[in-house]
Amino acid sequence: MKDAWADYHQDMNAELFEKWFDGQLLPALARTFPGESCVIVMDNAPYHSRLKHLTPSMNMRKDRIVEIMQHHRLAVPLKNNGDVAKKTVLLQAWAQAGIPKVYQLDCDAAKAGHEVLRLPPYWCIFNPIENVWSWVKGTLRTQNASLKASGASLLYQIREVVSSMPQHFWANYCRKARREEDTHMRAPRIEPFIINTEGDSDDSDYSENE
């Protein structure tokens, strides 16, 4: 890892995660729960959220947005003089078309008969595994385990700690997540609103990084 004690997110990308998801997680579910459909709880980390198809955004050039709309056979809004409308108008037309975002992992899970349940953004407290992972890292620190060890050695240390975790810890973490859900459900609702801080330059560069 780049920094042994740093957050692991910097060491992960969509390609690596999808390789693990398809090559290890899905086969493990098939072996453990043969013939059953499972719900895979997942947060919205970028490497969990690679889109199967590119979606228009403000950081794209106008001509690229037009290409995507034409690919989906959508009418491209035009100005009175026949030129293509502004990007904001194009994106509004895209939103009104109601084309949903399709995530690669969701498709892979569906092919195997499972469903991905995505947590609301920035609400990792709803996922018990976050507490489990925190406990594992804390235990490793307490034992002075070196996270700078080689891959095989580090994996062995992690497995030893995970296997030593008391079963009632997991139940407690699940109950904690349910309490957080109940608290959130009872909270007053706030109407959503959007503040657009993006410019509308048609000449801006765009990125197709997912």
Side-chain angles (χ1 to χ4, degrees), residues 175-206:
R175 283 193 290 269
K176 180 179 179 181
R178 284 196 291 267
R179 287 196 300 270
E180 295 288 354
E181 291 175 0
D182 292 340
T183 299
H184 179 71
M185 293 298 293
R186 292 194 298 268
R189 291 292 180 266
I190 300 176
E191 291 298 323
F193 62 93
I194 299 175
I195 300 176
N196 185 4
T197 60
E198 299 284 353
D200 189 32
S201 172
D202 293 339
D203 298 324
S204 61
D205 292 333
Y206 69 93

Side-chain angles (χ1 to χ4, degrees), residues 113-143:
H114 307 304
E115 178 185 357
V116 172
L117 175 62
R118 294 179 175 273
L119 297 174
Y122 313 111
W123 286 90
C124 59
I125 56 175
F126 293 153
N127 193 349
I129 199 65
E130 297 290 345
N131 295 107
V132 173
W133 182 231
S134 177
W135 180 87
V136 169
K137 291 190 291 185
T139 303
L140 286 169
R141 291 189 181 96
T142 301
Q143 297 178 356

Side-chain angles (χ1 to χ4, degrees), residues 78-89:
L78 302 176
K79 299 178 181 178
N80 291 334
N81 62 4
D83 292 340
V84 175
K86 292 183 177 181
K87 285 198 290 185
T88 51
V89 177

Side-chain angles (χ1 to χ4, degrees), residues 7 28 48 53 78 87 90 103-104 120 122 132 146 150 152 162 174 177 196 199:
D7 193 293
H48 295 163
H53 303 292
L78 302 176
K87 285 198 290 185
L90 297 180
Y103 298 100
Q104 183 63 51
Y122 313 111
V132 173
S146 174
S150 65
V162 170
C174 288
N196 185 4

